[in-house]
PDB file of all heavy atoms in Angstrom:
ATOM      1  N   VAL A 211      -2.580 -16.182 -10.841  1.00  0.00           N
ATOM      2  CA  VAL A 211      -3.425 -17.428 -11.216  1.00  0.00           C
ATOM      3  C   VAL A 211      -4.007 -17.861  -9.898  1.00  0.00           C
ATOM      4  O   VAL A 211      -3.231 -18.319  -9.069  1.00  0.00           O
ATOM      5  CB  VAL A 211      -2.592 -18.448 -11.816  1.00  0.00           C
ATOM      6  CG1 VAL A 211      -3.469 -19.674 -12.194  1.00  0.00           C
ATOM      7  CG2 VAL A 211      -2.000 -17.902 -13.173  1.00  0.00           C
ATOM      8  N   ASP A 212      -5.290 -17.728  -9.689  1.00  0.00           N
ATOM      9  CA  ASP A 212      -5.925 -18.175  -8.437  1.00  0.00           C
ATOM     10  C   ASP A 212      -7.352 -18.765  -8.711  1.00  0.00           C
ATOM     11  O   ASP A 212      -7.830 -18.791  -9.847  1.00  0.00           O
ATOM     12  CB  ASP A 212      -6.157 -16.997  -7.498  1.00  0.00           C
ATOM     13  CG  ASP A 212      -7.143 -15.936  -7.899  1.00  0.00           C
ATOM     14  OD1 ASP A 212      -7.585 -16.070  -9.031  1.00  0.00           O
ATOM     15  OD2 ASP A 212      -7.497 -15.142  -7.118  1.00  0.00           O
ATOM     16  N   ALA A 213      -7.914 -19.352  -7.695  1.00  0.00           N
ATOM     17  CA  ALA A 213      -9.221 -19.983  -7.733  1.00  0.00           C
ATOM     18  C   ALA A 213     -10.198 -18.691  -7.512  1.00  0.00           C
ATOM     19  O   ALA A 213     -10.592 -18.512  -6.384  1.00  0.00           O
ATOM     20  CB  ALA A 213      -9.478 -21.017  -6.717  1.00  0.00           C
ATOM     21  N   ALA A 214     -10.527 -18.028  -8.551  1.00  0.00           N
ATOM     22  CA  ALA A 214     -11.295 -16.838  -8.459  1.00  0.00           C
ATOM     23  C   ALA A 214     -12.722 -17.148  -7.877  1.00  0.00           C
ATOM     24  O   ALA A 214     -13.234 -16.496  -6.930  1.00  0.00           O
ATOM     25  CB  ALA A 214     -11.505 -16.147  -9.832  1.00  0.00           C
ATOM     26  N   GLU A 215     -13.245 -18.293  -8.206  1.00  0.00           N
ATOM     27  CA  GLU A 215     -14.441 -18.746  -7.597  1.00  0.00           C
ATOM     28  C   GLU A 215     -14.150 -20.069  -6.823  1.00  0.00           C
ATOM     29  O   GLU A 215     -13.793 -21.111  -7.358  1.00  0.00           O
ATOM     30  CB  GLU A 215     -15.573 -19.117  -8.723  1.00  0.00           C
ATOM     31  CG  GLU A 215     -15.924 -17.993  -9.567  1.00  0.00           C
ATOM     32  CD  GLU A 215     -16.749 -16.964  -8.837  1.00  0.00           C
ATOM     33  OE1 GLU A 215     -17.258 -17.204  -7.769  1.00  0.00           O
ATOM     34  OE2 GLU A 215     -16.875 -15.770  -9.345  1.00  0.00           O
ATOM     35  N   PHE A 216     -14.213 -19.853  -5.516  1.00  0.00           N
ATOM     36  CA  PHE A 216     -13.777 -20.956  -4.606  1.00  0.00           C
ATOM     37  C   PHE A 216     -14.459 -22.333  -4.881  1.00  0.00           C
ATOM     38  O   PHE A 216     -13.878 -23.359  -4.654  1.00  0.00           O
ATOM     39  CB  PHE A 216     -13.920 -20.562  -3.177  1.00  0.00           C
ATOM     40  CG  PHE A 216     -13.213 -19.296  -2.856  1.00  0.00           C
ATOM     41  CD1 PHE A 216     -13.602 -18.571  -1.727  1.00  0.00           C
ATOM     42  CD2 PHE A 216     -12.081 -18.801  -3.484  1.00  0.00           C
ATOM     43  CE1 PHE A 216     -12.973 -17.431  -1.367  1.00  0.00           C
ATOM     44  CE2 PHE A 216     -11.400 -17.662  -3.203  1.00  0.00           C
ATOM     45  CZ  PHE A 216     -11.854 -16.995  -2.024  1.00  0.00           C
ATOM     46  N   GLU A 217     -15.675 -22.239  -5.227  1.00  0.00           N
ATOM     47  CA  GLU A 217     -16.421 -23.465  -5.388  1.00  0.00           C
ATOM     48  C   GLU A 217     -16.120 -24.301  -6.669  1.00  0.00           C
ATOM     49  O   GLU A 217     -16.627 -25.382  -6.839  1.00  0.00           O
ATOM     50  CB  GLU A 217     -17.902 -23.170  -5.328  1.00  0.00           C
ATOM     51  CG  GLU A 217     -18.384 -22.209  -6.424  1.00  0.00           C
ATOM     52  CD  GLU A 217     -19.769 -21.710  -6.116  1.00  0.00           C
ATOM     53  OE1 GLU A 217     -20.449 -22.193  -5.230  1.00  0.00           O
ATOM     54  OE2 GLU A 217     -20.216 -20.773  -6.820  1.00  0.00           O
ATOM     55  N   THR A 218     -15.328 -23.695  -7.599  1.00  0.00           N
ATOM     56  CA  THR A 218     -14.947 -24.423  -8.756  1.00  0.00           C
ATOM     57  C   THR A 218     -13.586 -24.874  -8.634  1.00  0.00           C
ATOM     58  O   THR A 218     -12.764 -24.456  -7.787  1.00  0.00           O
ATOM     59  CB  THR A 218     -15.024 -23.482 -10.065  1.00  0.00           C
ATOM     60  OG1 THR A 218     -13.971 -22.526  -9.854  1.00  0.00           O
ATOM     61  CG2 THR A 218     -16.424 -22.799 -10.041  1.00  0.00           C
ATOM     62  N   SER A 219     -13.215 -25.923  -9.415  1.00  0.00           N
ATOM     63  CA  SER A 219     -11.899 -26.449  -9.296  1.00  0.00           C
ATOM     64  C   SER A 219     -10.924 -25.789 -10.288  1.00  0.00           C
ATOM     65  O   SER A 219      -9.730 -26.060 -10.346  1.00  0.00           O
ATOM     66  CB  SER A 219     -11.976 -27.995  -9.645  1.00  0.00           C
ATOM     67  OG  SER A 219     -12.473 -28.222 -10.907  1.00  0.00           O
ATOM     68  N   ARG A 220     -11.507 -24.947 -11.099  1.00  0.00           N
ATOM     69  CA  ARG A 220     -10.639 -24.224 -12.086  1.00  0.00           C
ATOM     70  C   ARG A 220      -9.857 -23.026 -11.546  1.00  0.00           C
ATOM     71  O   ARG A 220     -10.374 -22.325 -10.702  1.00  0.00           O
ATOM     72  CB  ARG A 220     -11.514 -23.693 -13.255  1.00  0.00           C
ATOM     73  CG  ARG A 220     -12.299 -24.743 -13.989  1.00  0.00           C
ATOM     74  CD  ARG A 220     -12.856 -24.297 -15.336  1.00  0.00           C
ATOM     75  NE  ARG A 220     -13.617 -22.974 -15.112  1.00  0.00           N
ATOM     76  CZ  ARG A 220     -14.965 -22.990 -14.836  1.00  0.00           C
ATOM     77  NH1 ARG A 220     -15.601 -24.110 -14.714  1.00  0.00           N
ATOM     78  NH2 ARG A 220     -15.587 -21.925 -14.690  1.00  0.00           N
ATOM     79  N   THR A 221      -8.628 -22.815 -12.028  1.00  0.00           N
ATOM     80  CA  THR A 221      -7.947 -21.688 -11.665  1.00  0.00           C
ATOM     81  C   THR A 221      -7.959 -20.674 -12.864  1.00  0.00           C
ATOM     82  O   THR A 221      -8.038 -21.189 -14.019  1.00  0.00           O
ATOM     83  CB  THR A 221      -6.375 -21.914 -11.322  1.00  0.00           C
ATOM     84  OG1 THR A 221      -5.903 -22.661 -12.431  1.00  0.00           O
ATOM     85  CG2 THR A 221      -6.385 -22.785 -10.163  1.00  0.00           C
ATOM     86  N   MET A 222      -7.970 -19.470 -12.544  1.00  0.00           N
ATOM     87  CA  MET A 222      -8.146 -18.452 -13.624  1.00  0.00           C
ATOM     88  C   MET A 222      -7.065 -17.393 -13.513  1.00  0.00           C
ATOM     89  O   MET A 222      -6.586 -17.023 -12.442  1.00  0.00           O
ATOM     90  CB  MET A 222      -9.522 -17.724 -13.546  1.00  0.00           C
ATOM     91  CG  MET A 222     -10.676 -18.692 -13.725  1.00  0.00           C
ATOM     92  SD  MET A 222     -12.187 -17.831 -13.527  1.00  0.00           S
ATOM     93  CE  MET A 222     -13.371 -19.222 -13.634  1.00  0.00           C
ATOM     94  N   ALA A 223      -6.527 -16.947 -14.705  1.00  0.00           N
ATOM     95  CA  ALA A 223      -5.522 -15.898 -14.710  1.00  0.00           C
ATOM     96  C   ALA A 223      -6.135 -14.533 -14.613  1.00  0.00           C
ATOM     97  O   ALA A 223      -7.256 -14.270 -15.184  1.00  0.00           O
ATOM     98  CB  ALA A 223      -4.763 -16.024 -16.000  1.00  0.00           C
TER      99      ALA A 223
END
Side-chain angles (χ1 to χ4, degrees):
V211 181
D212 70 349
E215 299 292 347
F216 300 157
E217 60 193 348
T218 69
S219 59
R220 299 192 308 270
T221 57
M222 297 180 185

